[in-house]
Amino acid sequence: MIQMWHFPLSPFCRKVRLVLAEKRLEVELIEEPYWEHSSEFLRRNAAGKVPVLRIDGLTLAESAAICGYLEETVPTPPLMPKEPAARAEVLRLTGWFDDKFHHEVTRNLVYERIHKKVSRQGYPDGAAIKAGVKAIKFHIDYMGWLLDQRRWLAGPDLTLADFAAAAHLSCLDYSGDVDWGRNEGVRDWYAKIKSRPAFRSILADVVPGFRPSSHYADLDF
């Protein structure tokens, strides 16, 4: 059995979970309070971060490395195109969401509103939340621009880039921080990806002490 140490509202964990589910790989999820830096967990990943995946006798860390391993060892269905230019675009957008979007939006909203309280690391930073609320507008507009030209974010087919984006937005949707009325194309894209079987376990996540937004688990919203 594949095992994965995760935190429900980690976009990096959600990205890996979506890839596993899309490739129809069953996984045992183990919720890990990574902020406690237990010696047992640090033996699995010295960086003290989730996700960590135990598969094929290997212990893998870092979501990009895990997704790369899964794509190479379980190539069907493919989440990376074969053409070098198309692959580069998928990697660019995956990096966009896991780096730029994460630092400008997810960390300023989800981490400030929820992770800080769960990990008992203090009170939310109002300035950070304000910056996140402003930044998400730019990112949704950019996604809308991409989707005006493409069926999926990186091109004609569903790829890892879509799962990276959906992982972050699903965390933000949990806390009600996405204005789905801002761009119809983004809303339709999210509804389409949210309705996939791979998303089912994500929508069942609950963080004690925090209720999801009213439409979080709805397929029609």
Side-chain angles (χ1 to χ4, degrees):
M1 170 66 77
I2 301 171
Q3 293 180 305
M4 178 172 157
W5 287 263
H6 81 120
F7 180 71
L9 285 189
S10 160
F12 306 101
C13 295
R14 287 189 163 200
K15 178 180 66 175
V16 173
R17 288 170 63 190
L18 288 169
V19 171
L20 286 164
E22 189 72 12
K23 293 180 179 292
R24 299 183 180 180
L25 296 172
E26 292 187 7
V27 59
E28 177 191 357
L29 294 175
I30 303 166
E31 194 165 328
E32 176 63 40
Y34 62 91
W35 54 87
E36 294 180 359
H37 300 295
S38 71
S39 58
E40 182 180 358
F41 183 63
L42 289 174
R43 282 195 293 271
R44 295 190 178 94
N45 182 13
K49 299 191 296 182
V50 288
V52 173
L53 194 74
R54 183 70 178 169
I55 184 172
D56 298 335
L58 301 170
T59 299
L60 305 176
E62 296 295 336
S63 66
I66 294 171
C67 290
Y69 179 87
L70 294 172
E71 184 68 12
E72 290 188 26
T73 57
V74 189
T76 304
L79 293 175
M80 290 291 291
K82 294 181 179 179
E83 299 78 11
R87 290 176 69 88
E89 178 65 352
V90 172
L91 292 173
R92 180 187 77 83
L93 286 173
T94 301
W96 174 285
F97 287 101
D98 284 348
D99 184 8
K100 184 176 177 65
F101 188 98
H102 175 69
H103 285 93
E104 295 179 1
V105 182
T106 311
R107 188 171 67 177
N108 284 335
L109 295 176
V110 178
Y111 281 61
E112 288 293 332
R113 294 190 198 278
I114 298 178
H115 285 234
K116 268 191 173 180
K117 184 174 180 180
V118 171
S119 61
R120 299 178 182 178
Q121 293 180 5
Y123 296 97
D125 182 333
I129 291 174
K130 185 177 180 179
V133 169
K134 180 180 179 180
I136 194 173
K137 298 175 183 177
F138 162 76
H139 285 276
I140 289 178
D141 290 346
Y142 178 58
M143 291 176 68
W145 178 79
L146 289 172
L147 291 165
D148 281 342
Q149 309 166 67
R150 306 166 176 180
R151 183 183 178 193
W152 295 96
L153 287 175
D157 300 310
L158 173 76
T159 68
L160 181 63
D162 296 287
F163 280 157
H168 284 272
L169 283 170
S170 66
C171 291
L172 291 154
D173 192 36
Y174 187 96
S175 56
D177 280 312
V178 184
D179 176 10
W180 293 114
R182 186 172 180 86
N183 188 285
E184 185 177 354
V186 174
R187 177 190 170 98
D188 291 346
W189 163 85
Y190 187 68
K192 184 168 57 174
I193 200 169
K194 186 180 181 182
S195 67
R196 298 182 74 83
F199 232 89
R200 288 173 185 163
S201 70
I202 296 287
L203 297 177
D205 284 347
V206 175
V207 178
F210 294 91
R211 279 189 171 187
S213 61
S214 59
H215 63 263
Y216 173 72
D218 295 338
L219 295 181
D220 296 315
F221 68 104

